[in-house]
Amino acid sequence: MTAPSRAPSAPPEPGAPPSPPPPMRLRELVFGAACAAAVRAAARLGVADALGDAPMTVETLASAVRAEPKPLRRLLRALSCYGVFAERPDGTFAHTEMSRLLREDDPNSLRAIAMWCTEPWTWDAWPLLDQAVRTGRNVVEDLYGKEFFAYLNEDAPESADVFNRAMTRSSEQSAREVAALLDLSGSSSVADLGGGQGHVVACLLDKYPAMRGSLLDLPRVVENALPRLREGGDLADRARIVPGDVREAVPVEADVYIIKNILEWDDESTARLLGNVVEAGGPGTRVVVIENLVDDTPSMRFSTAMDLLLLLNVGGAKHTTDSMVGRLEAAGLAVRDIRPVNPYLHAFDCVVPA
């Protein structure tokens, strides 16, 4: 079994200030909400989309995004301290590698994710983190009187739309990397459980023209499956769309099952899902679990923050390597390999023993 490896840290953005001493770093951390709010404001204003390849004056940018020049300069100066945009000696602002990721048209765009992680409900929930830590349960039900996704869909449709866009964009990006990593050349069928719109299945069917694929997710989710997988699509003759709840049953037979970023609920639901997969697949079936980890990964600042957010909204958790392996083995799976998919995802390659 190959243990996850720590990738080298990326070099700091040009012009980024040196790391401050501990007292100043702590001051910066407690003002972290200001940084998150600044990224959200830039994303909502569309500053990155308005800024072209050449540096621009604040006045020109302000006109493009319908903002006041002076406060826009303050916003951009704050973001430039973190390498999001760069202020030039002549007072103009230019793109950096990070600010380009806020463009809607960038193939690796994180604009939707930036919006999702700073939605209005997050500002209500974060101050109650101590309560969640004391009790071990989510705070959203106390705040809004209902389960998180019920709240989103019934009371915050705009936030639900942001969530859907963020998950779609994230799935598009990671699906290509998952398909590139996995060697399924000895398999004839694959099923993506809780696979959303079916980006992983589509990428794998593109890679393996003789393979058949199934997408299983909640009815309201698969209603919006990729057109390529639905009737009339170019992959429809090799694709099967199955509405259902993987926590209740897995009514799909396949050589390989893929479970990506859904083992974040409570332990009981996770155990039930994995048990359903083992029962559906039977001995010799390959199961690939893909998750964020909160240890031994270059994305720990991101993944541990997401771990706390899961505690706040659904009472879930990200996994360590050991906790993930423990849950997989407890379900009757043998873990054969662990490999990084990218800096923030790892693949656990398992088999149902004979």
Side-chain angles (χ1 to χ4, degrees):
M1 183 171 70
T2 304
S5 56
R6 187 182 297 277
S9 299
E13 285 280 352
S19 181
M24 185 52 65
R25 180 60 183 145
L26 185 58
R27 287 182 171 91
E28 291 176 358
L29 287 174
V30 297
F31 267 106
C35 183
V39 173
R40 178 178 176 82
R44 284 173 60 86
L45 288 167
V47 177
D49 295 293
L51 180 58
D53 292 332
M56 292 176 65
T57 66
V58 169
E59 289 74 18
T60 303
L61 270 175
S63 176
V65 301
R66 301 179 183 178
E68 290 295 321
K70 287 184 178 180
L72 180 60
R73 179 182 294 279
R74 292 163 66 180
L75 175 68
L76 292 173
R77 180 176 293 131
L79 287 169
S80 295
C81 292
Y82 294 92
V84 184
F85 302 106
E87 185 174 11
R88 296 165 59 88
D90 62 0
T92 60
F93 286 88
H95 268 303
T96 62
E97 289 184 14
M98 276 201 288
S99 65
R100 289 185 187 279
L101 297 175
L102 291 177
R103 290 185 62 94
E104 192 65 46
D105 61 0
D106 190 283
N108 298 308
S109 176
L110 295 177
R111 182 177 184 271
I113 292 292
M115 296 281 289
W116 166 242
C117 293
T118 55
E119 277 296 282
W121 67 266
T122 67
W123 304 97
D124 292 336
W126 279 122
L128 302 178
L129 181 58
D130 59 324
Q131 176 182 319
V133 170
R134 284 194 181 99
T135 64
R137 60 184 299 273
N138 77 75
V139 301
V140 163
E141 290 185 41
D142 291 335
L143 278 170
Y144 305 119
K146 56 184 68 176
E147 179 265 343
F148 177 65
F149 285 105
Y151 161 73
L152 277 190
N153 291 310
E154 296 169 11
D155 299 345
E158 290 185 5
S159 191
D161 184 54
V162 170
F163 172 76
N164 291 332
R165 294 201 309 271
M167 295 305 101
T168 296
R169 180 57 69 97
S170 180
S171 294
E172 290 172 348
Q173 293 166 353
S174 61
R176 297 189 292 268
E177 295 168 318
V178 169
L181 175 76
L182 296 182
D183 180 0
L184 305 186
S185 53
S187 306
S188 62
S189 59
V190 62
D192 190 6
L193 308 182
Q197 295 174 308
H199 294 284
V200 170
V201 166
C203 285
L204 288 170
L205 294 183
D206 282 337
K207 183 178 180 180
Y208 298 102
M211 180 174 283
R212 301 187 66 84
S214 298
L215 169 66
L216 171 62
D217 211 323
L218 297 172
R220 69 174 184 272
V221 176
V222 296
E223 282 177 1
N224 297 308
L226 293 175
R228 298 186 66 196
L229 302 175
R230 288 184 271 152
E231 185 176 356
D234 64 302
L235 297 175
D237 62 334
R238 295 191 287 130
R240 179 186 173 206
I241 297 175
V242 183
D245 187 340
V246 293
R247 293 171 293 184
E248 301 303 324
V250 177
V252 176
E253 292 185 8
D255 297 334
V256 182
Y257 292 91
I258 295 175
I259 306 170
K260 179 174 174 289
N261 282 132
I262 60 172
L263 297 186
E264 301 168 343
W265 307 309
D266 59 278
D267 289 348
E268 181 184 349
S269 294
T270 295
R272 195 162 64 245
L273 185 160
L274 291 174
N276 292 338
V277 174
V278 170
E279 181 179 355
T285 302
R286 186 177 175 188
V287 180
V288 181
V289 173
I290 299 168
E291 288 288 339
N292 305 111
L293 297 177
V294 290
D295 67 333
D296 199 23
T297 170
S299 67
M300 277 188 66
R301 289 184 180 178
F302 166 72
S303 58
T304 55
M306 287 298 296
D307 179 53
L308 294 178
L309 194 63
L310 280 169
L311 171 62
L312 288 173
N313 65 0
V314 296
K318 296 290 184 182
H319 292 281
T320 64
T321 305
D322 287 345
S323 71
M324 189 76 260
V325 170
R327 281 162 176 76
L328 295 172
E329 291 181 343
L333 291 165
V335 181
R336 301 187 300 184
D337 188 26
I338 306 172
R339 285 180 290 165
V341 177
N342 56 31
Y344 59 91
L345 286 174
H346 280 80
F348 293 73
D349 208 331
C350 312
V351 67
V352 179

